[in-house]
């Protein structure tokens, strides 16, 4: 029976090629956009190089002082003092790594300006983040305590600064008129990895700013690593208890916010700017609503096209009803035909998604951010196809089943 339905569906698709093109275009285009977007968010949120331990990590990326009386808000990155004086005293985390957010420095090589982004870190940072070292190794705690001017550079920074040199360990790189001895080279990572991206990594003790300044705000962040995923809630609870005991030390501001978030929570907070509640449910609701509205347009288009197709086949429906075909049988047939149509559009959509992702990766719009269609994305695409097929086929099929045999035959 399904084989016959498939043959009928193909014949119907060939009958009105323009309508078929519009239907397949709507399905495949919508599916392509959704699958590429899903691949992007999957890449952003899933553990990836060098942040492979993301599932058991919390990130501190900002500190905010708020005045309840005046409504003032003063937000910035955390200070090294805040992280060192308070956060490093937590007992639940297995490790706590401190890093600065990258800033730009200039260098000149053969009268050519090279712009690099430098980042300060402590020793624990290298034990939490799993960088791939192409040569050399990271600096040690002893080198940090000694204030040695050593650094780790990225693969692309090595290429920009030293050209085709095979090895650069032991050589010096200059940034803002200060020379640093290179002790390691790491594989490039995408700029979207804000907590980990850098062209030049340096010990925090060589920072030009006074990292010992007392205050809560500065240019640093931290990653808290739990022993296991099960310990993450316990780690968060201890952190919040510690935070609640810290005085603001400011007469104008009476509240201190410094959230330790998962990557999803951090993204949600940046989108909605909520200082107390993360608002993940709100973000999911808004994204779901956007997807629903995005799917609604092609679905309505398919419903209208399917109704037109069915009305053109009124004589066929009338004849089949006259020979005893039940409404249930006809409804089942037309839903199957529509699912076949949407699955064909889905196959085209998957192919277009692969092409778009390949072109995106080759374009280098976001360097080192390589998208891919994994199992999750493919399952998502398959479910979207079924959603299209059922939603856009049920109502036209129901309309068809209500056709009167006599009127259907008279229509031709």
């Amino acid at each position: 029976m399904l084989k016959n339905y498939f043959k009928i569906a193909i014949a119907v698709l060939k009958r009105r090629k323009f309508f078929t093109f519009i239907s397949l275009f709507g399905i495949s285009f919508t599916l392509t956009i959704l699958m590429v977007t899903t691949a992007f968010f999957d890449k952003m949120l899933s553990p990836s190089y060098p942040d492979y331990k993301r599932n058991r990590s919390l990130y501190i990326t900002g500190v905010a002082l708020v005045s309840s009386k005046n409504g003032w808000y003063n937000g910035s990155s955390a200070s090294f003092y805040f992280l060192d004086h308070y956060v490093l005293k937590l007992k639940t985390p297995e490790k706590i790594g401190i890093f600065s957010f990258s800033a730009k420095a200039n260098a000149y090589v053969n009268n050519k300006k090279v712009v690099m982004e430098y980042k300060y870190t402590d020793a624990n940072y290298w034990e939490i983040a799993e960088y791939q070292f192409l040569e050399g190794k990271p600096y040690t705690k002893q080198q940090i305590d000694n204030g040695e001017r050593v650094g780790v550079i990225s693969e692309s920074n090595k290429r920009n600064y030293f050209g085709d040199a095979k090895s650069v360990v032991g050589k010096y790189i200059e940034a803002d008129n200060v020379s640093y001895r290179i002790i390691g080279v790491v594989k490039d990572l995408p700029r979207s990895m804000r907590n980990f991206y850098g062209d030049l990594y340096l010990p925090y003790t060589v920072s030009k700013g006074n990292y010992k300044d007392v205050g809560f705000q500065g240019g640093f962040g931290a990653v808290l690593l739990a022993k296991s995923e099960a310990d993450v809630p316990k780690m968060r609870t201890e952190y919040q208890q510690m935070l609640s005991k810290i005085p603001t030390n400011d007469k104008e501001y009476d509240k201190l916010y410094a959230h330790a978030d998962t990557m999803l929570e951090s993204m949600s907070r940046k989108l909605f700017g909520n200082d107390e509640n993360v608002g993940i449910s709100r973000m999911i609701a808004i994204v779901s609503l956007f997807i629903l509205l995005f799917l609604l347009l092609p679905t309505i288009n398919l419903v209208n096209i399917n109704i037109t197709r069915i009305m053109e086949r009124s004589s066929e429906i009338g004849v089949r009803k006259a020979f005893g075909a039940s409404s249930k049988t006809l409804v089942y047939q037309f839903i199957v035909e529509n699912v076949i149509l949407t699955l064909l559009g889905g196959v085209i959509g998957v192919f277009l998604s692969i092409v778009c992702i390949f072109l995106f990766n080759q374009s280098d719009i976001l360097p080192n951010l390589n998208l891919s269609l994994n199992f999750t994305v493919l399952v998502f695409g398959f479910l979207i196809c079924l959603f299209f097929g059922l939603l856009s086929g049920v109502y036209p099929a129901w309309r068809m089943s209500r056709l009167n045999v006599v009127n259907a035959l008279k229509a031709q």
Side-chain angles (χ1 to χ4, degrees):
M1 184 66 70
L2 287 176
K3 183 178 180 181
N4 291 333
Y5 288 163
F6 181 79
K7 290 181 179 179
I8 294 173
I10 296 300
V12 171
L13 294 179
K14 291 181 179 179
R15 186 184 305 172
R16 296 296 296 272
K17 294 183 176 60
F18 181 70
F19 282 168
T20 300
F21 170 77
I22 294 177
S23 300
L24 292 178
F25 176 81
I27 297 169
S28 59
F29 178 77
T30 303
L31 187 61
T32 299
I33 297 298
L34 288 175
M35 292 187 73
V36 172
T37 304
T38 304
F40 179 80
F41 278 102
D42 181 69
K43 185 70 175 180
M44 294 291 292
L45 296 176
S46 298
S48 58
Y49 172 77
D51 191 17
Y52 293 116
K53 302 171 184 173
R54 185 176 297 181
N55 290 336
R56 54 189 180 106
S57 298
L58 294 177
Y59 306 88
I60 302 172
T61 57
V63 171
L65 293 169
V66 177
S67 171
S68 301
K69 180 180 179 180
N70 301 312
W72 296 341
Y73 178 93
N74 182 11
S76 176
S77 304
S79 67
F80 184 88
Y81 170 82
F82 170 79
L83 299 173
D84 180 61
H85 193 71
Y86 295 105
V87 178
L88 285 183
K89 294 181 180 180
L90 297 175
K91 297 179 180 180
T92 306
E94 180 182 9
K95 291 185 182 298
I96 300 175
I98 298 177
F99 57 88
S100 72
F101 295 101
S102 57
K104 292 185 178 180
N106 297 323
Y108 294 89
V109 182
N110 298 324
N111 295 323
K112 180 183 177 182
K113 182 179 178 181
V114 176
V115 180
M116 62 185 78
E117 296 190 28
Y118 61 92
K119 191 179 195 72
Y120 299 113
T121 78
D122 66 355
N124 284 341
Y125 175 87
W126 296 104
E127 298 181 24
I128 296 175
E130 299 181 6
Y131 285 87
Q132 179 181 342
F133 275 81
L134 304 179
E135 56 177 299
K137 58 185 179 180
Y139 37 81
T140 64
K141 184 178 185 303
Q142 183 177 354
Q143 289 175 309
I144 294 175
D145 293 339
N146 293 338
E148 295 184 28
R149 290 182 176 177
V150 293
V152 174
I153 65 174
S154 66
E155 180 182 8
S156 58
N157 196 23
K158 169 190 173 182
R159 184 169 54 252
N160 294 335
Y161 196 94
F162 296 100
D164 298 329
K166 291 184 178 181
S167 177
V168 296
V169 171
K171 295 185 178 181
Y172 286 82
I173 187 170
E174 185 176 288
D176 285 344
N177 299 318
V178 179
S179 294
Y180 302 96
R181 179 169 57 87
I182 300 173
I183 61 172
V185 179
V186 294
K187 180 183 175 182
D188 287 336
L189 63 151
R191 194 178 294 271
S192 57
M193 302 284 291
R194 179 172 177 259
N195 295 339
F196 300 91
Y197 177 82
D199 298 314
L200 172 62
Y201 301 85
L202 303 169
Y204 68 85
T205 50
V206 302
S207 169
K208 291 183 178 180
N210 189 356
Y211 61 90
K212 295 182 180 180
D213 285 346
V214 176
F216 295 141
Q217 296 178 325
F220 287 85
V223 52
L224 282 60
L225 180 68
K227 296 178 182 178
S228 65
E229 290 186 43
D231 282 343
V232 172
K234 181 180 177 181
M235 184 170 66
R236 187 198 299 271
T237 299
E238 184 190 9
Y239 175 80
Q240 290 173 340
Q241 291 174 348
M242 176 273 297
L243 190 66
S244 64
K245 299 177 182 178
I246 302 176
T248 60
N249 295 329
D250 195 310
K251 295 180 180 180
E252 300 294 340
Y253 298 97
D254 59 333
K255 290 184 178 181
L256 172 68
Y257 296 110
H259 301 286
D261 292 329
T262 63
M263 190 59 65
L264 180 60
E265 291 169 344
S266 179
M267 181 178 294
S268 176
R269 202 178 299 283
K270 288 175 183 178
L271 290 174
F272 299 107
N274 195 314
D275 294 318
E276 294 181 345
N277 301 311
V278 177
I280 291 180
S281 57
R282 189 197 311 176
M283 183 179 73
I284 293 175
I286 291 176
V287 172
S288 300
L289 179 61
F290 173 79
I291 293 175
L292 180 62
L293 293 175
F294 190 69
L295 292 174
L296 191 60
L297 293 178
T299 301
I300 293 175
N301 175 54
L302 281 175
V303 169
N304 292 330
I305 292 177
N306 287 335
I307 291 176
T308 302
R309 287 174 180 266
I310 287 172
M311 292 302 104
E312 290 179 345
R313 299 169 66 184
S314 58
S315 60
E316 174 193 337
I317 296 169
V319 171
R320 293 193 62 186
K321 277 195 169 187
F323 280 90
S326 66
S327 296
K328 181 179 179 181
T329 301
L330 294 173
V331 168
Y332 179 69
Q333 174 191 334
F334 280 99
I335 290 179
V336 169
E337 288 181 11
N338 206 62
V339 169
I340 291 172
L341 173 65
T342 53
L343 287 177
L344 288 174
V347 172
I348 297 174
V350 170
F351 175 76
L352 291 177
S353 300
I354 294 173
V355 173
C356 289
I357 288 176
F358 173 78
L359 294 176
F360 175 86
N361 292 338
Q362 293 296 316
S363 67
D364 216 28
I365 296 175
L366 294 175
N368 305 308
L369 181 64
N370 294 314
L371 304 182
S372 61
L373 287 181
N374 59 22
F375 179 76
T376 302
V377 177
L378 290 176
V379 170
F380 181 79
F382 178 74
L383 293 177
I384 290 296
C385 288
L386 291 180
F387 175 81
F388 264 123
L390 294 175
L391 188 62
S392 61
V394 170
Y395 176 71
W398 177 81
R399 282 282 303 272
M400 171 275 302
S401 68
R402 310 255 318 162
L403 285 176
N404 182 274
V405 177
V406 177
N407 292 335
L409 293 172
K410 284 183 177 180
Q412 297 298 318

